[in-house]
Amino acid sequence: MRKSQNPEWAGTFLLWLTVHFLLCTVKSINFSTKVGKARIPRICQHTVLLNEDSPLHFHPGLIPVSKRGSNMVHVYNCHPFASQQIVQVEQEPGLVCCGGGALFVVATGGCKVEAYNVEQEGCPFICRFATMGTVKSIQHSKMGDYLVTIEEKNSATYLRAYTNWRYQAEGKARVGVRLLGHLLRGASVRGGVQMEIIEIPLSKRPVAVACCPVTGDLLVGCEDTLVLFALRRQNQQSLNQSQQILQSSSQNSSQNQAQFPSPNQNFLDFERSVILHLPKIEPKQVALCGGYVALQMELEVLVLKLDTSSDPKTQEESSDTKKDHIDDQADFMVLPRHQELLGDVAKDCDIPVSIENTGLEDGKGQYTLSYVLFRRFTPDFFQGCSVEETQLHSLQLYPLYTSNQSVPLEEPACVFCFFSLPNAGYLYSLKGGVELLSTYQYPEKVLKAVLTDHLLHVITKSALQCFTVRCAAVAARVVDPYIDTTMKACPPCSMEVCALRIQLFIGLRSVCVYGRHVILLSAADTETPEEPERTPQRRRLSRKWTISSPKETSPAGHGWNLYVVDSVSPLTLYQEMVEYSERYAETNPQAQSLRHLLSEAHLFLRASLLRTEPSEQPRNIEGEAAVTLQTDTDAPADRQTAAQTDRQEVEEALRHNCAQLGDCFSRGSQKDCHLALPYYRMSGLSVTEVMARNRPLPSSPHTYGPGFLFYLKHFLFEETEQTLSQEAADEVIDILSKSEPSQLVSVCASPSMINLSPAKTLQILIHREDTCGVSVLLTITMATMMLCLDDLPQYTQLMERHAEMLLVYRFIEEPRLLLHGGVGGQHTHIRPTRLTRQLAKSQPGLLVAAMVALHENSKVQLEQADHIFKELGCENCLQVDFWEAMLMASSQEAVIQELLFRLVSIYIDRLTNTTSDTHLNEPHTPSRRRPLKSADDLINSCSHYGALYPWLTVLNPAHTTSSQHQEALYKLQSLLCGPSLSVGSVVPLMERLSEETLWGFSLHLLCSTRRGQYDRSIEKLLDRCPQAIIAYANHQLQDRHMMLWWQKLLPELCNRTRAASDNSILLAALKETLVVVAMEMSPTDFLELIPDDGTASYFLPYLLSCSQRHLMA
C-alpha cells in the first residue's frame, strides 16, 4: 500500500505493464483522450515506434504502420492545424457537408437543413430551410452553388436539388417547387429570385449522388444504372418576355443577412443527358469530374471516361460481348480475386457498361465510353475488422487547376481518383496516363478520408490524421516541361508519403473539407459492447438497398460536437518543417529523412503556387461568383489575405527550400547527385554562395560532395555570363585540382574563370605536367598563362613544342581556348580569348586553320567566326583568308555559295578601292599584309578556283596596278573561270566595276561569256581589244559553238576589214579565221561564205586548202 501511494513507482510499474502488454500483442498503440466540448488538447510531442525485437522508444523517422505490408510511412512531428472552433448547433447533427463557404447540417432524423458560415469566426448561422423529406444524403455543388439530396418520405425515395438557397437568409423569401425541366413563371417569381426545389424523377431508387466540380453536372447512382444530368442555365426573360424580373432592393438588417444579385438572375435546371446501364452491379458510391465517372462497389472501383462522338457503335458492341460473358457465369458463385487494370486494359474487367443517350438539347453529339481504371480487392482481416466490415469508402475524383488556367472555362490540368479501405488508401492520377501515385497504410481502422491538393485527411474513431499527397508533383510536370531536366527539378511522384501529427478526438463519425477548414462530427458512443452485433445487421440491410438512418446517440451518451479545425497555411507548415529538419541537419546532413522532409516541404510550396484561387468560392454555371455570405465589405479581403500567403513570400520560401535541397543532393550519394544542379539553379544562388554553403569546416572530415562537384563542373563547362572573382576562381582551381585534376584544362578555359591568378594556376599546371607527363592541351593552357603574365618568350617556346596540326586537333577538343560565349548561336555574345588575339598577331595561319576546323566540326558557326575576326580587327585580311580556306575545306553546297558570294564582294571592294600604286595611302586601302594564299595557290589547291582563260593574259595589265589589286583581280577572274560560281547571282555586284579599264572590261566579258552571250562578246572584244579575238575564239568557240566562227566571227571580220583595210590586227585575225573555217567546212560551203565583193586572189589559197583537205578525207 505504501508503494502504491508513491506516484513515481506507480508510473514505472504502469509503464512496464503497458510495454509488456504491447510486446505480447504486437499491436499499434492507441492513445485515447476524453475531450470536452470546449477544447481539444494538442497531440503528444513524439511519435511512437513499436518493433517486435526492440523495446518501446521514440523515433522521428520511418515507422511501420501495418503488419500486413512492407510499405513504410515517414512520420514527422509537424502539426498541420492552427485552431479549432465548435459550431453551435442546437440539435445533434446527422449529416454534414460543406461548400461555397458554408457548412450544411442536417439534424438526426430531421427534415431541415441549417447553413453556417465557416469563413467567419464562430461560424455564424446563415439560414435554415425545410426539406420535403428525411434527408439521407446531401451534397453541395461548387458550380451552380446548389444542394442535392436523397430524401425519404412515406417509404419512398426522392432526389431533389435546392437552388438559390442563400436567399433563405432573408427569412421571408418564398420557396418554389417544380419538376425537372419546368421553370417557374409569372406571379411566382415577381417577388424576386427565390429558392427553388427541383424534383428530379427517376425510374429506379437513387442510392448515391455526386456533383461535378468542373461543370456542375449531376450524377445519380441507382441500383443498376448511372444517370447523368447536365446542368443548364435558363434565363427567365427568355421564357416570358412580357414579364420582367423585379429587383429585390431590401437592405441588410442584421449580420446574418445576405446580399442579393441582379434581378436578371439566370435559373438553374437539369437535363437528363445519358444513362449508363450496369447489369447486376450495385454501386455504393459514385463520383463525377470533367467527363470521368467513378463508381464504387463493396470491394471494387471502376472509373470510366465519357466523351462525345458521332459514332457510338464501337462501345455498344463491346458491351454486348461482356454482357454475354456475365450471363454465362450468372449461375455460378465466383470468388473474387485481387485485380488492377489500368488504361485500356481496364476494358477486360467483367463489368459490362452500356450507354443510353437521352439528351435532346445537347449539341455535343453522342456519348462514347472508355474504361480508365478497375481495381478489385479480396476480403481480408485487419486489426479486428471482420471480412464483412472490410469494404471500400471515400471515393473521390479530385480536379487540380494550375495558375495559368481559368477554372470555369478549361478542363483541369490533372484529375485524381482516391478510394480507401479501412486499412489502406489508394491515390491514382488519371489524365495523361493512369498511374498509381501513393498507397496509404493506416495504423488503425479509418472511417472516412478526404483528399485535398495539400493533404489527405483521414479520421478514425478517435483521431484526425493527415497524410501528404503527390498531386503537386504531378501538376508541376504537366505545367512546366523543364521539370526533370538540368534546369528545374521536383520531387518524384513515387516518393514515399508521410504522416503528420495526430489530433485526438472522441467518437469521430464524419469529415468534410472546405479550403483550409476541416469539419468533423463526433458523437460519444456508450453502446460499444453491442457494436459487433449491430455491424452485420447494417451490412445485411445495405445489401437490400435500404438506407439506414444516421446513428442516434443514446440519451445516456456523452453528447456530440461539430468541430471546424483550421489547417495552417502552407507557408507556416513549411516553416515548421524547416525547423524540424534542422535536427537532422545538425546530426546527419546526409540523412534520407532530411531529404524526404525537405521534399515534402517543397511540394507544399508548389501546391500553393499551382492553386488558381485563394479559396473555393462558389460559382454559377458561367463561372460568376455566387452570392457572398458576409456583410462587412472589408472582411473578405482580410480573410483572403489571412488565408493565402503572398505569392512573393511563397516564391522566396521555394527558393530557400531549393537551396536546402541542393545542399542535400550536393552531399548525397552518387545516384542522385545530379539533382543538386537544378535545385541550386532554382534557388537563384550564385556560384560563390553555393561554394560557401558547401565549404567543409577545417575540423570536418567531410570533403566536397559529388553533387556539388557535378554542379560546379556543369557551371564551368556551360557558357554563362557570370564571372567569378579572383578569390572564387582560385578556390575553384584548388577544389578541382584535388578532386578532378583531369578537368583542369577545361576549368581554365571556362569564361567564368577569366579572373583566376595565372601564377598560381601555372604552378598547379606544372605540377600536373610533372605528374602525368606532357600533353598538348596542357601545353596550350600553360602558354595561355604565360600570356597572362606577359612572358612572350616562354609563350613562344611552349607553342613551338608541338606541330600546328596537333594544336588544331586540340583546339577542336577544347574550343573555349580560342572562343568564349556563343550561347544559343548568337554571334553577338561570342568573343575571342587572349590566346586568339596573340595568334592573330604571331601565327595567323594557325588561327585560320583552327577556325576552319572548328567550323567543320560544328563548334562554331560561320557568322560567329566572322564576328571573331571583326573583334580582332582583321575583317579585311584574316577573315578573307578564312573564307578562302573554308572554300577549300567545306563540302556543304549552301556554305560554298555563301562563301563565293562573300569573296566576290570582297574582291570587287579591293578592286574599286585600290586601282593603282598611287592610291595605296587612301583611307579605304586594306592592310599591306600578304594574304595566306595567293591566286596561284588557290588555283592549284581549290577546285572552285579555275585556271585563267588564255585570252585573259592579253587583257590583264602587266605591272600597271598594285600587287593587292592584281591579286584581287586574278582571284576574281579565277572564280569566274571556275565551275562553282553562279554568275547570275554576282551580276548586280559587277555593275560597280566600270568597263573603261581593260581589267574591268575583262571581268564583264567573262560574265557575258559565262552567261552564253557569245555574239555580244565577240562584238565587244572586236571593239575594245581585237588582238585577243583569235585567242578568245580558239578557247570559247569550240564544240557546239564552233559554227560561230563562220556565222558570227568571219562576217564581222569581213565587214570591219572592208571599212579599215589597213588594220593589220583585223587582217591577221581574218586570216586566222579563214584557216579555221577552211579546216571545218566543205569547199562548196566555204565558197558560199566568200563575200561577193571579195578579191579572188585573197581567198583562193584558203579555198584550195579546203579542197585538198576534202579530197584527202
Side-chain angles (χ1 to χ4, degrees), residues 146-396:
Y146 67 88
L147 289 167
V148 60
T149 62
I150 298 178
E151 305 175 9
E152 279 190 356
K153 188 175 183 180
N154 299 329
S155 301
T157 305
Y158 302 91
L159 179 68
R160 297 185 174 99
Y162 294 78
T163 65
N164 298 331
W165 57 269
R166 296 178 187 269
Y167 296 97
Q168 291 301 305
E170 176 74 10
K172 299 179 181 180
R174 298 181 180 181
V175 178
V177 182
R178 62 181 177 88
L179 281 175
L180 174 77
H182 298 269
L183 294 181
L184 298 177
R185 303 169 181 267
S188 61
V189 295
R190 286 199 184 103
V193 179
Q194 62 181 2
M195 173 176 163
E196 286 190 348
I197 303 176
I198 304 175
E199 190 82 26
I200 303 176
L202 294 169
S203 60
K204 297 183 180 180
R205 178 181 180 179
V207 295
V209 65
C211 303
C212 178
V214 179
T215 62
D217 294 347
L218 181 63
L219 180 66
V220 183
C222 301
E223 294 182 356
D224 57 359
T225 58
L226 297 179
V227 184
L228 178 63
F229 292 90
L231 182 63
R232 294 288 181 257
R233 188 170 185 263
Q234 302 290 347
N235 191 292
Q236 181 68 24
Q237 291 181 354
S238 64
L239 299 176
N240 193 351
Q241 297 183 3
S242 63
Q243 300 179 4
Q244 182 177 4
I245 301 177
L246 301 177
Q247 181 176 4
S248 176
S249 58
S250 60
Q251 301 296 327
N252 293 330
S253 59
S254 65
Q255 185 177 359
N256 296 331
Q257 291 176 348
Q259 297 176 359
F260 290 90
S262 168
N264 295 324
Q265 174 72 28
N266 292 323
F267 294 88
L268 302 182
D269 198 14
F270 298 91
E271 178 190 28
R272 195 189 317 261
S273 59
V274 67
I275 300 177
L276 303 180
H277 294 279
L278 311 167
K280 301 182 181 181
I281 297 298
E282 301 176 348
K284 298 285 187 180
Q285 195 173 354
V286 295
L288 176 66
C289 180
Y292 289 94
V293 175
L295 60 149
Q296 169 192 300
M297 287 68 76
E298 291 183 352
L299 291 172
E300 295 170 322
V301 172
L302 177 63
V303 181
L304 308 169
K305 183 68 167 66
L306 281 175
D307 295 299
T308 55
S309 174
S310 58
D311 185 13
K313 296 182 180 180
T314 304
Q315 180 61 37
E316 293 177 358
E317 293 173 359
S318 61
S319 300
D320 293 341
T321 305
K322 293 178 183 178
K323 183 176 180 180
D324 295 339
H325 175 69
I326 295 298
D327 292 340
D328 294 340
Q329 300 181 357
D331 298 331
F332 297 92
M333 179 64 180
V334 181
L335 181 65
R337 59 185 177 86
H338 181 82
Q339 194 175 17
E340 182 184 39
L341 303 175
L342 306 180
D344 295 335
V345 186
K347 66 179 181 295
D348 298 331
C349 69
D350 54 0
I351 299 181
V353 182
S354 59
I355 300 179
E356 178 185 349
N357 290 280
T358 60
L360 301 178
E361 299 175 2
D362 192 357
K364 297 181 180 180
Q366 299 294 314
Y367 282 98
T368 59
L369 191 68
S370 59
Y371 286 75
V372 177
L373 166 66
F374 176 74
R375 186 78 185 262
R376 172 185 287 140
F377 300 90
T378 56
D380 200 357
F381 293 94
F382 171 72
Q383 294 187 359
C385 296
S386 64
V387 173
E388 292 187 347
E389 286 180 319
T390 305
Q391 59 179 322
L392 291 166
H393 60 79
S394 304
L395 176 67
Q396 187 176 356

Side-chain angles (χ1 to χ4, degrees), residues 472-493 602-603 606 610 654 675 678-679 682:
V474 177
R477 288 167 170 81
V478 173
V479 174
D480 196 341
Y482 291 100
I483 295 292
D484 299 327
T485 65
T486 59
M487 301 298 297
K488 295 181 181 179
C490 181
C493 304
H602 183 93
L603 292 179
R606 275 200 178 273
L610 287 171
L654 183 64
L675 292 175
Y679 279 117
M682 290 167 27

Side-chain angles (χ1 to χ4, degrees), residues 685-877:
L685 296 175
S686 64
V687 182
T688 306
E689 292 171 327
V690 173
M691 291 168 58
R693 298 173 71 96
N694 286 271
R695 191 177 295 123
L697 298 175
S699 59
S700 175
H702 299 288
T703 58
Y704 291 97
F708 169 72
L709 295 177
F710 178 83
Y711 163 80
L712 188 59
K713 289 187 294 184
H714 198 281
F715 168 78
L716 295 173
F717 297 164
E718 71 175 0
E719 298 297 341
T720 177
E721 298 299 325
Q722 186 175 352
T723 302
L724 298 179
S725 63
Q726 181 176 346
E727 181 181 359
D730 292 344
E731 184 178 356
V732 170
I733 288 292
D734 288 336
I735 294 172
L736 294 179
S737 63
K738 299 173 183 177
S739 58
E740 298 281 348
S742 61
Q743 302 292 333
L744 278 175
V745 172
S746 298
V747 172
C748 294
S750 172
S752 303
M753 301 287 290
I754 194 172
N755 293 326
L756 57 80
S757 173
K760 183 177 180 179
T761 307
L762 188 60
Q763 293 178 358
I764 297 175
L765 295 174
I766 292 175
H767 179 267
R768 175 69 177 169
E769 187 180 56
D770 295 339
T771 305
C772 302
V774 177
S775 114
V776 179
L777 277 175
L778 199 58
T779 301
I780 298 174
T781 308
M782 293 169 62
T784 304
M785 296 300 109
M786 289 296 182
L787 268 181
C788 296
L789 294 173
D790 295 327
D791 193 345
L792 292 181
Q794 285 293 328
Y795 161 80
T796 304
Q797 182 180 353
L798 288 171
M799 292 297 289
E800 290 177 352
R801 277 188 181 181
H802 308 283
E804 286 193 352
M805 286 309 300
L806 291 178
L807 298 177
V808 170
Y809 292 148
R810 296 306 172 262
F811 285 137
I812 297 174
E813 292 182 20
E814 188 50 76
R816 291 184 302 172
L817 290 168
L818 297 177
L819 311 174
H820 281 170
V823 179
Q826 299 296 324
H827 68 275
T828 54
H829 297 294
I830 200 169
R831 57 192 181 276
T833 63
R834 188 164 186 170
L835 177 61
T836 306
R837 296 184 184 278
Q838 180 61 32
L839 290 178
K841 299 175 183 178
S842 59
Q843 294 176 283
L846 174 59
L847 177 60
V848 170
M851 294 299 293
V852 172
L854 291 178
H855 180 275
E856 290 304 298
N857 287 273
S858 302
K859 303 293 185 180
V860 68
Q861 299 178 8
L862 188 60
E863 292 78 9
Q864 292 176 328
D866 292 341
H867 184 75
I868 288 295
F869 287 113
K870 290 179 181 178
E871 287 282 328
L872 296 172
C874 303
E875 59 268 24
N876 286 327
C877 49

Side-chain angles (χ1 to χ4, degrees), residues 817-958:
L817 290 168
L818 297 177
L819 311 174
H820 281 170
V823 179
Q826 299 296 324
H827 68 275
T828 54
H829 297 294
I830 200 169
R831 57 192 181 276
T833 63
R834 188 164 186 170
L835 177 61
T836 306
R837 296 184 184 278
Q838 180 61 32
L839 290 178
K841 299 175 183 178
S842 59
Q843 294 176 283
L846 174 59
L847 177 60
V848 170
M851 294 299 293
V852 172
L854 291 178
H855 180 275
E856 290 304 298
N857 287 273
S858 302
K859 303 293 185 180
V860 68
Q861 299 178 8
L862 188 60
E863 292 78 9
Q864 292 176 328
D866 292 341
H867 184 75
I868 288 295
F869 287 113
K870 290 179 181 178
E871 287 282 328
L872 296 172
C874 303
E875 59 268 24
N876 286 327
C877 49
L878 277 184
Q879 185 178 19
V880 180
D881 294 332
F882 168 71
W883 291 344
E884 293 172 349
M886 278 292 301
L887 201 58
M888 290 187 287
S890 180
S891 58
Q892 303 177 29
E893 183 61 28
V895 175
I896 291 173
Q897 292 301 323
E898 176 67 20
L899 291 171
L900 288 172
F901 185 83
R902 294 184 180 187
L903 287 171
V904 169
S905 300
I906 200 69
Y907 294 154
I908 291 176
D909 288 340
R910 290 180 176 180
L911 290 173
T912 55
N913 295 329
T914 57
T915 55
S916 66
D917 287 334
T918 59
H919 298 153
L920 290 179
N921 294 326
E922 293 184 0
H924 296 288
T925 302
S927 173
R928 284 179 173 270
R929 187 190 66 81
R930 293 179 59 85
L932 296 178
K933 294 286 185 179
S934 65
D936 293 336
D937 295 334
L938 292 174
I939 291 172
N940 294 329
S941 59
C942 181
S943 61
H944 304 291
Y945 286 88
L948 297 182
Y949 296 157
W951 51 270
L952 288 174
T953 57
V954 183
L955 300 178
N956 288 339

Side-chain angles (χ1 to χ4, degrees), residues 498-511:
C498 80
L500 305 181
R501 253 188 334 195
I502 300 174
Q503 184 75 54
L504 298 179
F505 290 89
I506 291 179
L508 289 180
R509 297 296 179 86
S510 66
V511 59

Side-chain angles (χ1 to χ4, degrees), residues 937 973 1092:
D937 295 334
Q973 288 177 340
D1092 297 338

